[in-house]
Amino acid sequence: MTQEEAFKNLVAHAKEYGFIFPSSEIYDGLSAVYDYGQNGVEMKNNIKKYWWESMVHLNDNIVGIDSAIFLHPRIWEASGHVGAFNDPLIDNKDSKKRYRADVLIEDYLAKLEEKNNKEVEKGRKRFGDAFDEAQFRATNPNVLRNQAKWDEVHARMTEALGKNDLAALRQIIIDCEIACPISGTKNWTEVRQFNLMFSTQLGNVDGGVGTIYLRPETAQGIFVNFLNVQKTGRMKIPFGIAQIGKAFRNEIVARQFIFRMREFEQMEMQFFVRPGEEMHWFKAWKETRLSWHKALGLGDEKYRFHDHEKLAHYANAATDIEFEFPFGFKELEGVHSRTDFDLGQHQKFSGRKIQYFDPETGESYTPYVIETSIGLDRMFLAILSAAYTEEQLEGGEERVVLRLPACIAPVKLAILPLVKKDGLPEKAREILDMLRFDFNCQYDEKDSIGKRYRRQDAIGTPYCITIDHDTLGDNCVTIRDRDTMTQERVPISDLHDIVSKKISMTTVLRKIQKAQ
Ligand code: GAP
């Protein structure tokens, strides 16, 4: 199965089992907008809980807020989003399709990489065990030619993006003879900047209207509340403010399912520090965030840092935590050292003094900021894709199982009477009523027990409990483990403890190494 087919199966599975639906589907959908279904919302809430607990409840010096989606329009001028939150766009005059110029070039670069990978595979077949990939890549003329082209185009693109040179971006598309995937022609318009913020109108008291924006990040809601939180919470530097909430971006190239959406959720934390100490905190938060990811047990090899060489004008260090999605390593989270840019800009634009008096040094200053910013939907996709497994079982049977971390699984426990009669449903409901206060349980009495197990495997339920005729006499049930499929007979009175241990988020949270 190709990677693309495997990814299609994952997307189909997410829909079939009530995790994610295309938005407005009965009206043919709305591009790059998705709804979370009955299982999706539970899983999403568990991810939020994992983040919030680790950030807010387990740190003395981090508090949470929930700011509004609409903010004063001047905020987006101060932050630079009105002037510079742009994507470079180009249209094909024949197909009338619009593309991101940099994405067209990136796709071209990906094709060069693919060509080289194919050459390497050919070499591997030809030379067998004696094949040395590094030597092959360093000497094969086809590979060298493609690599030289890749280096040249990549360097030109990085420079053009860095300088905001739209003509240079277009020239790369022309020089590389990149054609429109729809029309196949190279009949391109000029490249233009396109602002990613959605705008709408706010009625004001005079009956007039003003343009306001749907926030493209949650971070600014934190910056503009810096003084409120610092004063009312008597917060001492270093301290952080965390927030989870919706963000909106009019993405032109919205693809790869919930990886890039137009409406999505972010989990962001701004950590305010003394100027000059930001590099220490930047390093500490990089490690803390990586350890938060790894504690979930999806596989340490699935993560890597990508330190930015080219920095945004307001940053003095930045890194991405990349995850190996089904379509390759891609950004999952950003950790940014944003200097005093944001607070400084809001001080300038609002005219309010945004400073902190440091009782230890006796000085007032504008704090520096380390930001950790992760997309909740991207985190959802990372977990879902790592958990999705198609398995061949003994006897030729197949099953699809979501090997979700138990604390993230939407349903923790399925309660299944073996048959729909003889008092078994009543006993099962008694157990359900006992456990549902602490765990999200699902009761199911339809179909054979085997089919019911498969349904629970498909949504990642860590445990199934079967109530049979013996239960009525011995007060014991069979508990089945999702991953090993082993079954054990246990007293009903032990169920709560067994399940608590398995699904405990505390165990995972304890593994996280904290920023010092
Ligand atoms: N406040 C900083 C900020 O917003 P960003 O790198 O633009 O930085 C942070 O976004 C994170 O938000 C990304 O690492 C990604 O996980 C998520 N994200 C950004 N754009 C997204 C989109 N269109 N759809 C889904 N997630 C997105």
Side-chain angles (χ1 to χ4, degrees):
M1 199 187 315
T2 62
Q3 267 189 350
E4 216 169 290
E5 284 163 346
F7 189 49
K8 265 195 190 151
N9 288 353
L10 174 74
V11 175
H13 186 89
K15 183 176 170 203
E16 188 180 347
Y17 286 93
F19 284 88
I20 299 167
F21 306 127
S23 165
S24 321
E25 204 185 1
I26 58 168
Y27 289 92
D28 293 335
L30 191 61
S31 162
V33 186
Y34 291 90
D35 297 336
Y36 284 80
Q38 65 278 18
N39 289 316
V41 67
E42 294 288 345
M43 176 161 152
K44 201 175 179 194
N45 284 342
N46 291 338
I47 300 173
K48 283 189 202 175
K49 181 167 184 247
Y50 179 48
W51 188 86
W52 193 264
E53 294 274 324
S54 76
M55 267 308 171
V56 180
H57 294 173
L58 294 176
N59 283 296
D60 296 340
N61 58 350
I62 301 182
V63 291
I65 61 164
D66 182 17
S67 72
I69 285 173
F70 291 140
L71 298 173
H72 195 288
R74 290 275 283 164
I75 288 174
W76 303 112
E77 286 173 38
S79 67
H81 284 82
V82 170
F85 194 51
N86 298 323
D87 272 348
L89 293 192
I90 190 165
D91 291 44
N92 181 269
K93 291 183 192 165
D94 299 315
S95 68
K96 313 275 185 255
K97 284 278 167 200
R98 182 165 288 175
Y99 300 93
R100 253 175 71 176
D102 54 333
V103 171
L104 281 178
I105 300 169
E106 275 170 9
D107 286 349
Y108 172 83
L109 292 172
K111 279 191 192 132
L112 287 176
E113 278 173 44
E114 213 176 290
K115 273 189 190 168
N116 273 359
N117 290 340
K118 281 192 181 144
E119 289 287 345
V120 168
E121 282 320 303
K122 270 200 262 170
R124 197 186 304 283
K125 276 195 191 129
R126 189 157 14 115
F127 296 112
D129 286 347
F131 183 65
D132 178 341
E133 183 175 331
Q135 195 194 357
F136 184 85
R137 283 187 184 272
T139 53
N140 179 281
N142 290 344
V143 173
L144 287 176
R145 199 177 43 251
N146 289 336
Q147 189 58 49
K149 186 75 191 166
W150 192 98
D151 291 342
E152 178 223 316
V153 173
H154 186 260
R156 282 176 68 189
M157 180 181 76
T158 311
E159 192 183 342
L161 287 173
K163 289 187 179 157
N164 225 346
D165 187 342
L166 303 183
L169 271 181
R170 182 174 189 272
Q171 199 54 48
I172 301 172
I173 292 171
I174 303 297
D175 293 348
C176 294
E177 301 189 355
I178 296 174
C180 165
I182 307 285
S183 66
T185 70
K186 296 161 197 155
N187 198 5
W188 296 109
T189 61
E190 297 305 310
V191 178
R192 285 158 298 123
Q193 291 289 22
F194 175 82
N195 194 285
L196 295 181
M197 282 196 295
F198 284 103
S199 61
T200 187
Q201 305 295 322
L202 181 79
N204 63 26
V205 276
D206 300 322
V209 287
T211 297
I212 56 162
Y213 301 98
L214 294 172
R215 66 180 176 198
E217 61 170 17
T218 62
Q220 298 304 323
I222 293 180
F223 291 126
V224 296
N225 275 298
F226 169 81
L227 289 178
N228 284 338
V229 175
Q230 192 271 318
K231 293 206 157 74
T232 57
R234 291 177 295 125
M235 307 299 291
K236 292 212 164 38
I237 274 186
F239 75 89
I241 306 178
Q243 148 151 262
I244 299 178
K246 289 267 185 180
F248 304 83
R249 295 183 189 179
N250 200 358
E251 300 278 2
I252 295 310
V253 183
R255 57 182 179 185
Q256 288 154 337
F257 195 33
I258 55 168
F259 182 81
R260 196 175 297 286
M261 302 157 86
R262 297 208 164 99
E263 175 181 341
F264 57 102
E265 263 180 281
Q266 289 186 316
M267 305 190 285
E268 298 201 294
M269 193 277 301
Q270 311 295 325
F271 198 71
F272 301 94
V273 304
R274 252 183 218 149
E277 294 185 357
E278 70 274 15
M279 281 309 152
H280 160 77
W281 288 109
F282 174 68
K283 286 195 193 103
W285 276 107
K286 260 176 83 169
E287 292 312 321
T288 298
R289 293 305 302 148
L290 186 63
S291 121
W292 180 87
H293 286 284
K294 287 184 174 174
L296 279 180
L298 304 180
D300 290 3
E301 72 292 349
K302 286 192 164 288
Y303 304 90
R304 69 181 187 197
F305 285 124
H306 169 231
D307 292 326
H308 291 206
E309 282 155 30
K310 267 215 132 17
L311 295 167
H313 59 281
Y314 52 78
N316 61 6
T319 198
D320 294 338
I321 297 177
E322 293 187 338
F323 182 78
E324 193 176 15
F325 287 96
F327 34 83
F329 273 97
K330 298 272 179 216
E331 176 186 344
L332 171 59
E333 169 158 10
V335 182
H336 312 126
S337 174
R338 293 180 74 127
T339 67
D340 57 355
F341 174 80
D342 301 273
L343 291 183
Q345 285 292 96
H346 290 308
Q347 176 160 279
K348 200 160 106 193
F349 276 69
S350 68
R352 301 283 171 86
K353 191 173 166 204
I354 307 182
Q355 296 232 314
Y356 171 78
F357 174 74
D358 194 327
E360 280 179 35
T361 62
E363 282 173 320
S364 284
Y365 52 77
T366 305
Y368 271 42
V369 172
I370 305 302
E371 164 182 78
T372 73
S373 173
I374 177 168
L376 174 55
D377 313 84
R378 252 181 225 190
M379 186 63 193
F380 191 108
L381 182 59
I383 298 175
L384 192 68
S385 60
Y388 180 84
T389 320
E390 293 177 12
E391 269 183 5
Q392 288 287 344
L393 303 178
E394 281 171 25
E397 226 193 311
E398 281 175 21
R399 74 162 180 164
V400 174
V401 54
L402 290 188
R403 293 180 179 276
L404 295 170
C407 63
I408 302 294
V411 176
K412 308 299 183 198
L413 196 61
I415 298 186
L416 319 171
L418 190 62
V419 289
K420 267 196 265 182
K421 55 183 183 182
D422 304 336
L424 301 193
E426 290 74 13
K427 187 70 184 172
R429 288 210 172 266
E430 223 177 79
I431 299 174
L432 175 69
D433 287 342
M434 180 181 93
L435 297 173
R436 72 186 336 171
F437 289 95
D438 294 315
F439 314 114
N440 187 26
C441 302
Q442 204 168 76
Y443 175 84
D444 189 3
E445 58 178 26
K446 279 196 216 93
D447 299 321
S448 71
I449 197 75
K451 275 196 186 154
R452 283 182 269 168
Y453 283 158
R454 290 291 166 275
R455 276 205 290 271
Q456 295 301 329
D457 289 344
I459 63 167
T461 307
Y463 281 130
C464 289
I465 284 166
T466 308
I467 292 91
D468 57 24
H469 292 94
D470 290 344
T471 307
L472 302 179
D474 65 6
N475 263 327
C476 288
V477 290
T478 305
I479 183 162
R480 172 188 179 269
D481 183 287
R482 174 195 72 197
D483 297 334
T484 60
M485 293 188 286
T486 51
Q487 300 188 11
E488 206 186 329
R489 195 129 184 106
V490 299
I492 292 172
S493 53
D494 287 357
L495 277 178
H496 191 281
D497 276 3
I498 295 172
V499 180
S500 293
K501 265 192 211 121
K502 171 87 173 183
I503 65 147
S504 159
M505 193 172 272
T506 311
T507 320
V508 184
L509 286 166
R510 280 191 198 282
K511 290 191 213 156
I512 302 168
Q513 157 216 325
K514 280 209 198 157
Q516 305 283 339

